[in-house]
Structure formats: structure tokens, C-alpha cells
Amino acid sequence: KNNIEKLISARLNLVAISLDSLSEEKHDKWRGVKGVYKNIMNGLELFEKLENNIIVEIQPVIMAPNLDDIIELADWVNRTPRIQGVNFLSIIQPHNTEKNNEWYTDNSFKNLWPETEKVISVLDALIERKKKGYKISNPIMQLEIYKRYYADPLNFIKKRKRCMIGNWFLNVSFKGEIDLCPYIEKINT
């Protein structure tokens, strides 16, 4: 409760919450922290009880382990008044790992990469829901771009000339390397 009150008093406009599944077991496993799902749900309940104008958005990552949960999440957000939207994120190379444009084929990570036909089907279902007015924050064009990314990630990454991620985030690797975007070269320090 104290943390929620601090967020409210800080006059934040938006809180984005990572929630990859409505299954507590699955979510906690993927996030690597037991109990984080319960904390999220308790936090959402507190946001509802405490008077505030903070926009609350859910941000699931679209990946193989939760592909069967994505539509359920969109439907749940649509039914949940206190959550203003869901912003789906595409899986990218895990942070703080050696740069590898073909990371998704590496044995350590290939279990994260979804089957192309299945992910495109899920994205098409999200697009249909967006057209019906569901609280999906992603523009349709972004969901269409995700389809191209999941269908041919290497080609998609190589064509990337500019990255907007660095306008909002900064990543510092375990080696102290700084990057503004996982798709462009590191900044020399």
C-alpha cells in the first residue's frame, strides 16, 4: 500500500505493469520471482481503492510460453475497468546477453520463440479485437509489424535503420556497456 501511495503522490501519469499470464504459476515462473503475480493483483486492487488518476496499463511479452494466454489477457483487460489498456510487447533478445542477431535459435533461448503460424494467428485475433474497440494500446500497424518480425526476425533486424526505444529507455549491460536499443551498436564508454 505504501508503494502505491508513493506512486500516486509522485503524480505519475502512467504505470505499466508486466503481466505475461493470468496463471499465477506461469507468470511467476517466467518472471523468476515467486509471489510476483499476487503482488501485481494486490497492487491493481489497491489502485482501484485509492483515489487517483494514474493510467494503469498491462504489458505482456508475446512469446512461446504464453502464446495461449495472450487472447485471454486481452479479454480480461477489456472487462477490467481499472486497467486502461494492454500494450503487447514482442520478445527480443534477453537483456544483458551477448549481442546475437540470431539469438532466438540459440538453445538457451529458442524455447521463447513462438511458432510463426501460431503467433500470426494470435496477432490477427488481437487486430480483430482492436478493431472492435478493445482496450489494446498497440496501433494496428504495430501489430502488423510484429507479424513481419515473428515471420522473419533476422531479415527484420537487419533492415532496422533507426530505433525509437532509446527515446525512453537506457540499458546498461552486466559488462557496463550502454545501449539505447538492442538493435544498434553499443555506445563506447
Side-chain angles (χ1 to χ4, degrees), residues 4-172:
I4 301 290
E5 288 172 341
K6 286 178 188 177
L7 291 173
I8 293 168
S9 67
R11 298 182 180 265
L12 294 177
N13 294 328
L14 180 136
V15 172
I17 300 171
S18 297
L19 181 65
D20 297 315
S21 174
L22 292 175
S23 160
E24 179 178 354
E25 181 184 340
K26 288 180 184 180
H27 178 78
D28 285 359
K29 178 182 177 186
W30 297 324
R31 290 292 165 172
V33 181
K34 189 165 177 52
V36 73
Y37 177 89
K38 280 184 183 168
N39 289 342
I40 289 169
M41 292 305 169
N42 290 338
L44 289 171
E45 204 173 295
L46 282 172
F47 266 114
E48 182 112 26
K49 289 178 184 174
L50 300 173
E51 190 172 318
N52 65 85
N53 294 321
I54 296 176
I55 295 166
V56 177
E57 191 171 82
I58 302 300
Q59 290 191 327
V61 175
I62 299 172
M63 56 186 166
N66 73 338
L67 206 51
D68 292 331
D69 302 55
I70 293 296
I71 300 304
E72 181 184 14
L73 268 170
D75 292 347
W76 175 75
V77 166
N78 207 54
R79 293 188 311 268
T80 307
R82 183 58 186 98
I83 301 172
Q84 281 78 15
V86 56
N87 183 33
F88 292 98
L89 306 175
S90 61
I91 185 81
I92 61 170
Q93 180 174 343
H95 292 296
N96 301 322
T97 59
E98 287 292 327
K99 185 173 172 66
N100 176 1
N101 285 342
E102 296 184 53
W103 66 270
Y104 52 89
T105 63
D106 185 294
N107 283 335
S108 303
F109 307 120
K110 69 180 179 182
N111 64 317
L112 299 174
W113 195 257
E115 176 193 325
T116 304
E117 285 182 31
K118 189 171 181 180
V119 73
I120 288 173
S121 174
V122 167
L123 288 163
D124 283 338
L126 291 176
I127 290 168
E128 287 308 309
R129 281 167 170 74
K130 173 79 175 179
K131 288 177 181 176
K132 291 177 182 174
Y134 273 55
K135 297 186 292 185
I136 296 172
S137 302
N138 308 74
I140 290 174
M141 180 183 278
Q142 184 181 32
L143 297 171
E144 291 289 351
I145 289 169
Y146 281 0
K147 287 167 42 176
R148 291 196 325 255
Y149 169 66
Y150 284 108
D152 189 2
L154 184 58
N155 194 33
F156 186 88
I157 290 168
K158 283 184 176 179
K159 286 184 176 179
R160 203 144 170 102
K161 302 282 187 237
R162 197 174 127 213
C163 183
M164 303 298 286
I165 295 173
N167 291 350
W168 299 281
F169 302 101
L170 178 72
N171 183 56
V172 180

